[in-house]
Amino acid sequence: MDRINKDLQKERDQCTFNIQELTTLIDGGTEKTAERKNRENVLLNETELFNQVPDEYLSHKEKYENAVRQSVAVFSMIRKMQDEGKMNVHNYRDVIGCLLGSSALRDGSPLALHYIMFMPAILNQGNEEQQVKWISRAWNCSIIGSYAQTELGHGTFIRGLETTATYDPATKEFILHSPTLTAYKWWPGGLGQTVNYCIVVAQLYTKGKCHGVHSFLAQIRDEDTHLPLPGIKVGEIGVKLGLNAVNNGYLGFDNVRIPRNHLLMKHAQVLEDGTYVKSRNSKLNYGAMVFVRVVIVYDMVNYLSKAVTIATRFSAVRRQSQLKPGEPECQILDYTTQQHKLFIVIAATHALRITAGKLWHTFHEINEELVGGNFDRLAELHALACCLKAVSTADTAAYVERCRLACGGHGYMLSSNLPLIYGQVTAACTYEGENTVLLLQTARFLAKTYQQLNSKPLTPTVAYLKLTPAKGSCNKWSNTIEGIVRGFQDVARSKISYCVENMTKKVESGMSFEDAWNLTSVQLVGAAEAHCRVIIMSIFYEEIQVLAKRVSAELKEVLYQLVDLYCLFWTLEKLGDLLLYTSITQKDVERLHLWYEETLTNLRPNAVGLVDAFDFRDEMLQSTLGSYDGRVYERLMEEALKSPLNAEPVNETFHKYLKPFMQGKL
């Protein structure tokens, strides 16, 4: 390895905890760390993954072709690393982890939706016979699929989808049709040129009646020639802000027939004569969407940890201005404003990772209850996945932008990898459910729960609603983490209460419920976000208390500092709400500011150690600013020299345009 930048080495030397201990904690144990490192070694030994010319200088078509080549290399190896022909929750989660963590696929993969949505949809919504028939083929990639729900004219409002699937009992087939241009499926990853099958969400019609949206398995392209099948109109949608290697596509149907058993029938069925058998619970059909929202929260953690690793290492290497006259230029990481920008991102990465783990556990726990016919927590799971997806993606987009801005002009370079990361995370704010709409779905659950406080038992994530004081009174404010969490509970409960009362008054005055809901929707979004802040804070604090019992005293201290920082940051960010709904005072706020400043100071010696613990290889991080050795300026120049414009000393435009123009001859 090249010589480490002396400032970066000094940072590592002053770290107060064992970096490897934290890495092991993040991975979930020494065995998990060894497995991850082994996967990385296998992936990085594959020369197919690396290009001589950076993707930024390639055409859109060349980027896609590279992405297919790289994706095939990555997933061929991932497939070998799993149990041959076997799939269960644990190794499937490992596959998803490989997919999310593989930065070799720098701008996304056209195979991503095959693993993240196509197979989970079959597992969640297909009956046993359909799973036997399709999952092994999908697992081995002998077929490759996508998931087509969003249409050109409809996104998050699933009930408004226009694509139809009409059952013909004479032939025992469904007829898939796109009646309008706005009914064309739009956005599915890999759909453009990559996949040959697709889960299609369409309005089911049988015996002249519409039974709402259901999922169908449709073949899109011939398995041998890859040509689109008759009646299929398919292609790519074009260049986007980011994720341009994902091959997002459009899809239209012109009365395309598929077999009856291509309706995924785990929850609802259509019999041969066209009789519709209703699902036990209509929300069961949305299981694949819940799963992908769980995956998205994990994905945000992956991007977030990369962004803050890049920005923190750069901040240790970059020296600029003087803190005191006559002193040498100082590391920008010594400025409190820089610590304010970055340390919250480190803390938030841990908070969201721990919350994502809890959400994953809750998802599988409730799924097991559903198998037993217990639907009590299904609405809670849906509301939880909605708000966590919305808040985690919005926060991550803001955090990544903090990291980019913290790197000054160099953060604007694509070679820093920060613009690419931003393009990927900001996309997540609208895909798989637009964030405002998702928060309103959570708000609907919260409003209904609040109205039934005294008549129904509360599920775990809303149990705090009964712990808060009666209307008109406040808990005594306490400048402790427990006090902060309790304060946010008061805020959430008060906001939910206000929304319910506000809507009730409007309805009682003669307004329709729908209009009352719409007029209150800004406050409803705020209530749902406040509820989500309660969940993230309380889970982070509770889980760190458990983890702290298993780690060294040095690491325990740092983990609690991260909890302090996260809770203090959001307390100061949400002071308006806290002043409205709690008994916090000006003196309390002043003390919180001091506590926040002290926490930044306490974390400062461990900043680089904390991001080193995320343990990203340079090849995975792919950043000129964030390399382990800190050779920022050398790497920036090395990347600049790769530009095709530097391949010749004089570009042809000089003689063709500039010289005649300069001589007045143009």
Side-chain angles (χ1 to χ4, degrees):
M1 181 181 285
D2 292 309
R3 187 167 58 85
I4 305 290
N5 175 282
K6 67 179 189 310
D7 285 328
L8 208 48
Q9 188 58 54
K10 185 187 76 175
E11 295 291 332
R12 291 177 177 129
D13 292 341
Q14 71 182 9
C15 186
T16 66
F17 66 93
N18 185 310
I19 295 172
Q20 184 57 51
E21 184 185 7
L22 180 53
T23 299
T24 302
L25 188 71
I26 292 169
D27 287 332
T30 52
E31 287 185 9
K32 291 289 184 185
T33 299
E35 287 172 11
R36 174 180 57 80
K37 286 180 177 290
N38 180 55
R39 286 196 300 264
E40 289 172 359
N41 287 334
V42 173
L43 287 171
L44 295 175
N45 284 334
E46 181 56 61
T47 55
E48 281 288 308
L49 297 179
F50 304 103
N51 304 319
Q52 293 302 310
V53 179
D55 274 6
E56 290 76 23
Y57 301 116
L58 302 179
S59 69
H60 184 61
K61 180 172 178 287
E62 288 169 328
K63 284 182 184 177
Y64 166 68
E65 290 164 355
N66 256 342
V68 172
R69 175 179 59 80
Q70 292 174 331
S71 295
V72 167
V74 166
F75 291 108
S76 294
M77 287 181 285
I78 288 175
R79 190 165 56 187
K80 289 174 188 173
M81 287 186 277
Q82 308 306 316
D83 294 333
E84 292 294 334
K86 298 176 184 177
M87 184 172 65
N88 56 50
V89 168
H90 303 294
N91 63 15
Y92 196 77
R93 184 176 175 179
D94 287 343
V95 170
I96 296 295
C98 282
L99 177 62
L100 301 183
S102 178
S103 298
L105 308 174
R106 194 177 179 193
D107 202 21
S109 166
L111 298 183
L113 253 68
H114 175 74
Y115 290 95
I116 292 174
M117 292 205 74
F118 180 70
M119 282 198 282
I122 297 172
L123 283 167
N124 185 268
Q125 297 178 48
N127 61 26
E128 192 173 334
E129 180 185 337
Q130 290 170 325
Q131 290 184 32
V132 168
K133 181 176 180 180
W134 296 105
I135 284 297
S136 61
R137 296 195 72 201
W139 182 248
N140 294 321
C141 292
S142 58
I143 61 170
I144 296 173
S146 186
Y147 185 93
Q149 178 171 289
T150 298
E151 295 175 351
L152 195 52
H154 284 92
T156 310
F157 183 57
I158 301 171
R159 283 179 292 150
L161 297 179
E162 297 179 76
T163 304
T164 59
T166 307
Y167 185 64
D168 180 359
T171 60
K172 299 183 179 59
E173 294 172 316
F174 284 101
I175 304 166
L176 290 174
H177 187 59
S178 308
T180 64
L181 174 63
T182 52
Y184 271 54
K185 297 299 179 183
W186 191 269
W187 279 116
L191 185 60
Q193 279 76 28
T194 310
V195 308
N196 53 8
Y197 281 80
C198 196
I199 300 295
V200 177
V201 181
Q203 302 283 0
L204 188 159
Y205 284 85
T206 180
K207 294 186 176 181
K209 185 179 178 183
C210 179
H211 295 281
V213 294
H214 289 68
S215 296
F216 300 82
L217 183 64
Q219 186 174 353
I220 304 302
R221 294 174 177 270
D222 184 273
E223 288 191 29
D224 184 40
T225 66
H226 207 58
L227 288 169
L229 297 180
I232 300 287
K233 299 169 186 176
V234 64
E236 201 228 19
I237 65 171
V239 183
K240 310 169 294 291
L241 173 65
L243 296 168
N244 282 297
V246 171
N247 194 221
N248 300 91
Y250 65 81
L251 174 64
F253 297 95
D254 184 7
N255 294 301
V256 174
R257 290 177 173 266
I258 61 173
R260 179 185 69 90
N261 62 6
H262 280 215
L263 162 67
L264 296 184
M265 295 202 207
K266 183 176 185 178
H267 304 302
Q269 297 87 39
V270 170
L271 305 182
E272 288 190 3
D273 66 354
T275 301
Y276 177 72
V277 181
K278 191 177 179 181
S279 168
R280 292 176 296 166
N281 189 309
S282 61
K283 288 187 173 64
L284 288 171
N285 291 327
Y286 300 130
M289 290 298 292
V290 173
F291 172 83
V292 80
R293 285 167 190 158
V294 176
V295 171
I296 287 170
V297 182
Y298 270 114
D299 205 16
M300 294 304 100
V301 173
N302 180 53
Y303 288 127
L304 204 51
S305 52
K306 288 174 186 166
V308 77
T309 298
I310 294 165
T312 303
R313 286 177 177 169
F314 174 76
S315 298
V317 171
R318 180 73 165 183
R319 286 182 171 270
Q320 191 156 301
S321 302
Q322 300 164 311
L323 268 175
K324 296 174 184 175
E327 290 186 350
E329 288 188 276
C330 68
Q331 295 165 279
I332 59 174
L333 197 52
D334 284 336
Y335 291 105
T336 303
T337 50
Q338 192 77 349
Q339 296 164 20
H340 172 63
K341 288 176 187 175
L342 297 180
F343 292 1
I344 177 56
V345 187
I346 298 172
T349 303
H350 287 280
L352 291 179
R353 174 181 56 80
I354 286 170
T355 305
K358 191 77 170 178
L359 178 58
W360 180 274
H361 175 76
T362 303
F363 172 76
H364 289 289
E365 190 178 72
I366 294 176
N367 265 353
E368 288 177 9
E369 292 175 7
L370 298 178
V371 172
N374 180 358
F375 302 106
D376 291 349
R377 295 179 63 193
L378 184 57
E380 177 188 39
L381 175 64
H382 177 65
L384 187 61
C386 284
C387 73
L388 283 173
K389 183 272 175 183
V391 170
S392 69
T393 54
D395 281 2
T396 299
Y399 290 141
V400 170
E401 181 67 347
R402 285 174 85 94
C403 290
R404 186 186 69 78
L405 292 172
C407 294
H410 291 322
Y412 200 65
M413 297 291 296
L414 287 184
S415 68
S416 75
N417 205 15
L418 290 169
L420 281 167
I421 292 173
Y422 180 75
Q424 291 164 327
V425 298
T426 195
C429 293
T430 48
Y431 64 58
E432 310 312 332
E434 192 276 333
N435 283 357
T436 301
V437 177
L438 291 188
L439 287 171
L440 285 171
Q441 290 186 22
T442 299
R444 195 174 294 276
F445 166 75
L446 293 172
K448 186 176 179 181
T449 299
Y450 189 81
Q451 289 171 313
Q452 299 173 342
L453 267 185
N454 299 316
S455 58
K456 284 193 174 181
L458 295 180
T459 48
T461 60
V462 287
Y464 72 88
L465 291 176
K466 276 196 173 179
L467 300 175
T468 49
K471 184 184 172 184
S473 64
C474 287
N475 281 311
K476 188 177 187 307
W477 179 265
S478 168
N479 269 356
T480 61
I481 298 303
E482 293 90 344
I484 289 171
V485 171
R486 191 163 56 244
F488 272 83
Q489 290 174 343
D490 288 349
V491 168
R493 185 265 305 159
S494 298
K495 286 194 168 195
I496 296 162
S497 170
Y498 170 79
C499 290
V500 170
E501 290 172 8
N502 195 23
M503 287 189 293
T504 301
K505 286 176 185 174
K506 285 179 167 59
V507 171
E508 286 174 350
S509 70
M511 188 181 290
S512 70
F513 172 78
E514 292 77 14
D515 285 339
W517 177 272
N518 187 36
L519 280 172
T520 315
S521 58
V522 173
Q523 289 86 4
L524 285 162
V525 166
E529 186 200 338
H531 168 69
C532 196
R533 298 278 171 217
V534 169
I535 290 169
I536 297 172
M537 273 188 196
S538 54
I539 288 175
F540 189 25
Y541 181 46
E542 289 163 9
E543 292 299 308
I544 286 297
Q545 286 179 296
V546 174
L547 292 172
K549 295 174 183 176
R550 310 203 310 254
V551 301
S552 65
E554 294 82 5
L555 180 55
K556 176 181 176 179
E557 183 179 10
V558 175
L559 291 176
Y560 275 121
Q561 287 168 356
L562 291 172
V563 174
D564 289 353
L565 188 81
Y566 186 81
C567 294
L568 287 165
F569 176 89
W570 281 107
T571 301
L572 296 171
E573 283 288 301
K574 298 294 182 180
L575 273 181
D577 287 341
L578 292 165
L579 288 165
L580 271 175
Y581 299 118
T582 74
S583 60
I584 194 170
T585 66
Q586 180 181 340
K587 285 289 184 188
D588 293 321
V589 174
E590 289 170 359
R591 292 189 194 103
L592 288 170
H593 275 292
L594 288 173
W595 186 8
Y596 181 69
E597 291 161 9
E598 287 169 8
T599 307
L600 291 176
T601 301
N602 291 336
L603 282 168
R604 168 64 188 88
N606 291 316
V608 169
L610 282 164
V611 298
D612 278 357
F614 295 134
D615 202 25
F616 286 112
R617 300 264 293 265
D618 285 350
E619 299 92 336
M620 299 301 227
L621 208 54
Q622 297 191 26
S623 170
T624 49
L625 307 188
S627 61
Y628 186 84
D629 61 18
R631 293 176 62 251
V632 170
Y633 306 116
E634 296 90 338
R635 289 176 188 273
L636 282 167
M637 182 56 76
E638 287 166 9
E639 285 300 308
L641 294 176
K642 292 178 183 177
S643 170
L645 287 175
N646 289 322
E648 52 188 5
V650 179
N651 185 267
E652 63 178 16
T653 55
F654 174 75
H655 295 290
K656 195 171 182 180
Y657 301 114
L658 283 176
K659 190 174 182 179
F661 172 70
M662 293 162 75
Q663 294 176 346
K665 297 177 181 177
L666 193 63

